[in-house]
Amino acid sequence: MKIGFLGLGRMGSAMAQRLLAATTDLIVYNRSTQASAALVAQGARAVARPGAMADRELVFTMLADDQALRDVVLASGALLESLPEGAVHVSCSTISMALAAELAERHAAAGQHFVSLPVFGRPDAAAAGKLFLVAGGAEEIVERLRPVFLRMGQDLWWVSPQPELANLVKLSGNFLIATTIESMGEAMALVEKGGVDRHAYLDFLTRSLFTAPVHRNYGKLIADRAVRPAGFAAPLGQKDLRLVGEAAEKLAVPMPFFGPLRERFLALAARGEKDVDWAALGVEAARGAGLHSTNDDV
């Protein structure tokens, strides 16, 4: 299958690497050409513009936000205008429901197919092919491409023929992760200030009540206060939370935890901490308790 991959950040590069290991015909594009070098060295072919996909049957995009995806897909001479009839665009980005619905409509009008395939997992999981994949779009297209998708992930859930509902599931999941980070940070700050070693507390939690990877992985980052380098940068989490708020408002769903999380992200942004992992949400609780200075090197 002739595959294209657009967007080679840490996640996109790892996912493209998984695809390249299983195909000899992969075209890649990234705004910064340096990101393409490692894949080109292993046999991929880099192109200079996102519209150079006229012979591709399947194209993945993994971009940071709505605007980046619009620029790559909907701009003049970009992906939408170059894809052949019958080709499939698979968006793995965490984007708004509105953009996913618009992309589905625009691709259908061009005789193409669109699938939302947002992913759960950090760059190390992507490199190991251990992502969890949520798909929205025509079920027959998703099932036909399932073997390709599972080169990048360990499991796949099809949720709806409406692509935007896969994005809703992704946003809801990221909201849950953010609330977990916040609550773990608050609990850890409480016991630490009372005199309990926070690493010992984490060991107890993750071997008894809260054994899921999200508790183990983010709990360790919070306990270690190791939020640089960022596996998932706080500004991306802030963007995702904003999209959660938009969805909640549209669907008239009260989400009382939204406000405190928003304030946490704003505090990080106000200090210019754009390079920290969103595990820094949990460290904010320690700062508020006087256990961790904003001047400390984390």
Side-chain angles (χ1 to χ4, degrees):
M1 180 174 285
K2 297 180 177 181
I3 300 175
F5 203 105
L6 288 71
L8 300 174
R10 292 187 65 192
M11 286 292 292
S13 292
M15 294 164 69
Q17 177 68 58
R18 297 289 305 182
L19 293 171
L20 183 59
T23 182
T24 58
D25 195 347
L26 180 69
I27 287 180
V28 295
Y29 166 81
N30 196 70
R31 185 172 58 182
S32 169
T33 57
Q34 185 178 1
S36 307
L39 291 164
V40 169
Q42 297 173 60
R45 179 162 61 92
V47 293
R49 56 188 182 85
M53 299 284 163
D55 67 336
R56 300 291 94 180
E57 304 166 69
L58 172 63
V59 174
F60 292 87
T61 52
M62 187 57 160
L63 286 305
D65 53 31
D66 280 27
Q67 190 57 56
L69 189 57
R70 283 185 176 278
D71 291 345
V72 164
V73 178
L74 299 178
S76 177
L79 180 63
L80 181 69
E81 293 182 3
S82 73
L83 274 184
E85 186 172 345
V88 183
H89 169 206
V90 178
S91 168
C92 300
S93 307
T94 304
I95 56 171
S96 67
M97 293 178 65
L99 179 55
E102 179 183 351
L103 289 173
E105 182 179 343
R106 296 284 295 273
H107 279 294
Q112 303 154 359
H113 305 286
F114 176 72
V115 172
S116 278
L117 190 74
V119 304
F120 286 95
R122 292 164 70 88
D124 56 344
K130 297 296 185 180
L131 297 172
F132 293 104
L133 314 173
V134 180
E139 186 175 11
E140 62 272 21
I141 298 295
V142 172
E143 290 306 316
R144 174 164 62 87
L145 294 174
R146 180 180 286 267
V148 180
F149 294 163
L150 288 178
R151 295 171 189 169
M152 302 181 293
Q154 58 181 305
D155 212 342
L156 167 69
W157 288 265
W158 176 80
V159 296
S160 172
Q162 297 174 253
E164 66 270 23
L165 293 189
N167 296 100
L168 181 61
V169 170
K170 169 62 175 174
L171 292 173
S172 73
N174 278 15
F175 176 75
L176 282 169
I177 294 172
T179 57
T180 298
I181 292 170
E182 172 66 24
S183 61
M184 288 189 74
E186 292 181 17
M188 207 172 290
L190 177 66
V191 299
E192 181 182 1
K193 196 154 189 182
V196 177
D197 179 85
R198 64 180 184 269
H199 289 92
Y201 177 65
L202 176 65
D203 182 63
F204 157 70
L205 287 180
T206 55
R207 291 172 58 191
S208 58
L209 302 175
F210 301 101
T211 60
V214 68
H215 298 104
R216 294 196 303 270
N217 297 339
Y218 283 108
K220 186 176 189 307
L221 292 177
I222 296 167
D224 292 346
R225 291 169 187 163
V227 296
R228 292 186 179 93
F232 183 71
L236 294 176
Q238 185 176 12
K239 176 266 298 183
D240 291 352
L241 186 68
R242 176 177 55 79
L243 296 180
V244 168
E246 290 178 4
E249 184 170 351
K250 180 179 179 181
L251 296 169
V253 177
M255 301 186 77
F257 286 174
F258 176 87
L261 289 173
R262 176 178 176 274
E263 296 305 309
R264 290 295 201 205
F265 279 118
L266 286 175
L268 295 172
R271 292 196 299 268
E273 296 184 13
K274 298 180 179 180
D275 63 335
V276 298
D277 194 275
W278 69 334
L281 291 177
V283 179
E284 284 293 286
R287 285 173 167 164
L291 296 167
H292 185 68
S293 168
T294 58
N295 296 319
D296 288 348
D297 181 11
V298 294

